[in-house]
Amino acid sequence: MVLGVLVVWPIAFTVFRSLYNRSGDAFIGLGNYRTMFRAGSTRTAIRNNVVWVVFAPSIVTALGLIYAVLTERVRWSTAFRFVVFMPMAISLLAAGVIFRLAYEGDPGRGLANALARAAVDVVHRPGPYPGARPADDAVLGPDNGGFVSKVDFSPRQPALVGLVGLRPALVPKSATAATVSGDGVVWFDFSASGGERGRLDPGEKGLPGVRVEAIVDGRAVAGATTRQDGSFAFDHPPSSPYRLRLSPSTFRSGFGGVGWLAPSLVTPSIIAAYVWIWAGFAMMVIAAGLATIPRELLEAARVDGANEWQVFRRVTVPLLSPVLIVVLVTLVINVLKIFDLILVVPPGSVQDDANVVAVEMWNASFGGGRDQGLGSALAVLLFLLVLPAMVFQLRRMRSS
Amino acid sequence: MRRLVRLVASAPVHLFLVAVGLLWLLPGVGLLVASLRSAPDNARNGWWNALRHPHELTWSGYSHLLHTPRMVHAFWNTVLITVPAALMVLAIGALAGYALAWIPFRGRDWVFLVAVALLVVPLQVALIPVAELYGRLGLYGRIPGVVFFHVAFGLPFATFLLRNYFAEIPGELLEAARMDGAGELSIFLRVVLPLSIPALASLLIFQFVWVWNDLLVGLVFASPEAAPLTVAIREQTRQFGSNIDVIAPGAFVSMVVPLVVFFAFQRYFVQGLLAGSVK
């Protein structure tokens, strides 16, 4: 009896309370529900909850399955499982702090962007002189991130290319005073003592490492890279007048960092944090299920000539499907109630974009809204969202 | 030779798992290292720079934390909430589990069914009713109120888990004890409990970690005076950039206790958490 009251009472009370106003003294029918669905914040919350339910449980289960299957054949599987399960021990709040740190926007400070930068820089090496531009716009014009000359250069006369708009710190220490030699020179057309733009003044430094190309009839016929004094000599000196191109690779700026916590990315970023926490759980449950699969079945499939992928796809996964469904449903229930991470990971200005129903409920009734009627309506909404998965879970527990 | 071939064939799997393992470790290591750096260092660049300049590392964040009365107080609040909540759930859950498993009374199955049903009621649904109830009883904002809420929400799971475990104990053992003249209480204490150490340990550890890590219940039911560590840290995260030197060590301290429990009682810990995941 007492227990029965314990189940029914909070639900009944909450449903009842949701029909009353802020202070609980006036009946307003479905008014709170109307307010709730009209509020943009609730709509964002529901949309985010949908994103969470669609992606988080499936990603966690898939990773858990992969880890469980792979660790089965590895001697040090205990150590691996230990490491991946560890985040389950810590609070979601601490995990939130960890990921708030990791998602720092500046690649010099946030781990996620530092790793991303390391990966991006391998494919797209940043150039030595990002932001530099020609001193004389009449001579060189922009070209796909690089520059190309508007006039022809003669093969026998050295080309003079002055660049400005460069942070002096970017000029390498090894650079020496610019000298005119070979087929031309690229130099930093700026010196502390002044000097005239477009003219090679004494004390101005050459820019080493600039990639230049000679273009004849729209085709690159020769290339060169500038030396310490900025001078360059073509590998196949052109015999006719040519246009000079400064390669875009010289001016490409480095990876500036992804805005992990920007409004459009914040939910996927928090989902990644959630995956980090829960993959260990899925892995453990699935590994336990895997241990109950009779080895002979797998062996029989291998003897019949199935490769590892086919064994996995046709034997392991179907036999595991009850376990996978349990993991999935457990995670769906858990994800619908997600709260702590949303409160901690996004900065204040992005909080609204990351909103979910559980947070909205807390906000409305305790956090700042102080409207327990609206809060109750949101609690009822949350309850209804969780209900189908709950019923499934109850059925399973009753049958076991 | 064949072993060598197998080793080469499985190399990608090993490499993949090592990479994943590192990926899983890195964020946590990041927090640990960040908590050992000064605020200006953390503001200037990422924690990994400290690996090249180990002399940068300092305990100042932790000593600063020790001299922040709010945080120290919050730590003790967490202890005062967690220990009683875990022990009470264990004691009451064990008694209820025993009654449901071995003492026949009318409506027993119904009580068990209700306990199972309670398992799946989301915590959020109970927040507002209990808050109003506490307001009337004068429990709102105080530590006992937080403890009671945790106990109420821990009991269904405890009862469910222990009843199922107790029910597996062979009836002959209990009969034999009864023949020797033992009463219900001594059967419970001398026969059932000693045989159920693994389940009791898993439950205790799960409950301890669950309450220790809780944020929502503390946020709703604890006044600033009674706030646990998680709530105090969450207060700090509102100015994340400026006081990382409090947040990082604070978060790490809050992690250390469950992690120590995890290291010490791995098996029970995993079992408890897997069983408790239905919550």
Side-chain angles (χ1 to χ4, degrees):
Chain A
M1 244 338 260
V2 176
L3 278 169
V5 170
L6 277 178
V7 193
V8 178
W9 173 67
I11 300 174
F13 186 99
T14 304
V15 172
F16 217 69
R17 188 66 185 77
S18 71
L19 304 174
Y20 283 79
N21 70 350
R22 171 180 291 267
S23 51
D25 45 21
F27 182 81
I28 54 168
L30 295 176
N32 283 322
Y33 292 89
R34 224 168 290 135
T35 317
M36 174 174 97
F37 283 113
R38 274 202 199 125
S41 55
T42 317
R43 288 216 212 111
T44 315
I46 294 174
R47 209 179 46 230
N48 282 336
N49 265 114
V50 170
V51 172
W52 271 92
V53 167
V54 169
F55 291 103
S58 47
I59 295 174
V60 169
T61 311
L63 274 186
L65 177 63
I66 293 171
Y67 295 171
V69 170
L70 288 185
T71 46
E72 259 223 317
R73 331 137 148 238
V74 173
R75 220 112 13 92
W76 47 282
S77 65
T78 323
F80 177 85
R81 289 179 184 174
F82 182 82
V83 166
V84 175
F85 194 77
M86 205 154 45
M88 285 291 287
I90 68 173
S91 63
L92 289 161
L93 172 97
V97 171
I98 287 176
F99 276 86
R100 175 73 173 272
L101 271 175
Y103 284 142
E104 195 73 52
D106 174 359
R109 289 171 57 204
L111 176 67
N113 271 332
L115 292 177
R117 176 164 71 178
V120 168
D121 283 359
V122 170
V123 190
H124 267 290
R125 291 203 53 140
Y129 309 117
R133 56 190 157 76
D136 190 348
D137 293 338
V139 179
L140 287 150
D143 171 57
N144 280 330
F147 299 95
V148 70
S149 66
K150 294 174 175 173
V151 294
D152 282 339
F153 286 102
S154 141
R156 271 170 308 279
Q157 202 182 348
L160 298 179
V161 179
L163 293 178
V164 293
L166 189 62
R167 272 192 295 128
L170 285 177
V171 179
K173 290 210 170 58
S174 60
T176 55
T179 43
V180 183
S181 69
D183 290 308
V185 61
V186 180
W187 88 99
F188 187 28
D189 195 1
F190 171 87
S191 73
S193 55
E196 194 184 324
R197 247 202 191 194
R199 210 184 63 197
L200 211 174
D201 300 302
E204 290 180 342
K205 292 213 164 166
L207 291 174
V210 177
R211 181 75 195 154
V212 296
E213 286 165 333
I215 311 282
V216 175
D217 300 331
R219 274 188 22 250
V221 295
T225 304
T226 55
R227 296 182 282 248
Q228 296 304 335
D229 60 359
S231 67
F232 60 89
F234 288 122
D235 42 3
H236 310 289
S239 46
S240 54
Y242 62 92
R243 300 234 159 164
L244 188 71
R245 184 162 76 185
L246 307 182
S247 160
S249 64
T250 305
F251 305 98
R252 186 150 43 213
S253 51
F255 174 72
V258 175
W260 300 108
L261 298 178
S264 55
L265 260 188
V266 65
T267 298
S269 295
I270 308 176
I271 290 179
Y274 182 87
V275 170
W276 180 77
I277 298 165
W278 280 87
F281 161 79
M283 174 185 70
M284 286 298 196
V285 179
I286 295 169
L290 213 50
T292 64
I293 293 182
R295 298 290 99 178
E296 302 86 64
L297 279 176
L298 303 181
E299 277 316 311
R302 284 191 189 113
V303 169
D304 287 349
N307 61 33
E308 286 306 310
W309 169 246
Q310 285 167 328
V311 172
F312 174 74
R313 194 57 203 80
R314 301 272 161 76
V315 185
T316 313
V317 172
L319 285 174
L320 275 180
S321 58
V323 178
L324 296 180
I325 290 172
V326 167
V327 172
L328 216 56
V329 172
T330 306
L331 289 170
V332 165
I333 295 175
N334 188 278
V335 152
L336 282 168
K337 296 189 282 190
I338 189 88
F339 176 79
D340 311 34
L341 283 179
I342 315 288
L343 222 52
V344 183
V345 177
S349 56
V350 199
Q351 200 95 60
D352 290 344
D353 299 284
N355 205 13
V356 293
V357 175
V359 171
E360 178 73 6
M361 184 261 156
W362 175 75
N363 259 335
S365 41
F366 302 101
R370 296 272 149 209
D371 185 342
Q372 312 244 308
L374 183 60
S376 297
L378 283 157
V380 171
L381 173 68
L382 188 68
F383 182 61
L384 291 179
L385 288 175
V386 180
L387 200 60
M390 293 280 184
V391 170
F392 177 89
Q393 197 84 312
L394 267 184
R395 282 232 183 104
R396 184 179 64 85
M397 277 157 71
R398 238 172 80 184
S399 64
S400 68
Chain B
M1 189 58 202
R2 271 181 60 197
R3 280 187 60 191
L4 192 73
V5 169
R6 266 208 352 237
L7 202 73
V8 172
S10 63
V13 171
H14 285 272
L15 281 178
F16 175 76
L17 291 178
V18 168
V20 169
L22 284 178
L23 195 64
W24 246 254
L25 276 178
L26 268 185
V29 171
L31 178 72
L32 173 61
V33 177
S35 74
L36 290 168
R37 298 177 83 208
S38 67
D41 280 342
N42 272 322
R44 196 173 54 242
N45 53 27
W47 55 266
W48 53 90
N49 291 285
L51 304 180
R52 261 181 293 154
H53 314 280
H55 59 271
E56 271 187 6
L57 298 179
T58 158
W59 290 105
S60 70
Y62 287 90
S63 71
H64 179 58
L65 196 71
L66 272 178
H67 292 102
T68 312
R70 256 186 71 67
M71 298 301 266
V72 179
H73 189 68
F75 180 85
W76 289 115
N77 282 342
T78 295
V79 175
L80 285 177
I81 291 168
T82 307
V83 174
L87 290 177
M88 278 164 80
V89 164
L90 187 73
I92 305 174
L95 283 170
Y98 179 71
L100 286 174
W102 291 108
I103 303 179
F105 60 91
R106 228 156 51 106
R108 190 173 75 167
D109 292 345
W110 272 104
V111 173
F112 184 61
L113 207 72
V114 167
V116 174
L118 257 176
L119 254 183
V120 293
V121 175
L123 203 137
Q124 276 86 354
V125 173
L127 290 181
I128 291 173
V130 174
E132 299 211 353
L133 182 73
Y134 277 6
R136 256 173 242 159
L137 296 178
L139 277 172
Y140 196 77
R142 295 174 48 208
I143 286 182
V146 182
V147 172
F148 288 149
F149 192 91
H150 279 304
V151 171
F153 257 81
L155 269 182
F157 169 64
T159 310
F160 171 75
L161 185 87
L162 293 182
R163 191 219 82 120
N164 285 353
Y165 199 90
F166 293 165
E168 300 284 311
I169 297 173
E172 300 89 62
L173 281 177
L174 279 78
E175 271 317 303
R178 216 161 267 149
M179 298 285 239
D180 291 346
E184 289 295 342
L185 186 67
S186 82
I187 292 177
F188 174 67
L189 291 176
R190 302 251 169 86
V191 181
V192 174
L193 289 192
L195 283 173
S196 310
I197 297 292
L200 295 170
S202 298
L203 175 71
L204 184 66
I205 289 169
F206 169 75
Q207 192 61 28
F208 180 87
V209 172
W210 175 274
V211 177
W212 184 279
N213 285 341
D214 159 78
L215 172 66
L216 178 57
V217 176
L219 212 49
V220 171
F221 292 115
S223 64
E225 194 46 32
L229 193 53
T230 44
V231 174
I233 295 171
R234 128 91 192 159
E235 274 310 312
Q236 302 280 335
T237 58
R238 290 173 166 200
Q239 300 107 32
F240 201 92
S242 56
N243 49 8
I244 184 71
D245 54 327
V246 181
I247 296 169
F252 198 78
V253 167
S254 87
M255 279 165 59
V256 158
V257 173
L259 278 180
V260 167
V261 174
F262 176 49
F263 284 119
F265 307 101
Q266 250 187 82
R267 205 161 54 89
Y268 295 140
F269 183 91
V270 173
Q271 278 167 1
L273 247 81
L274 295 191
S277 64
V278 290
K279 275 178 73 156

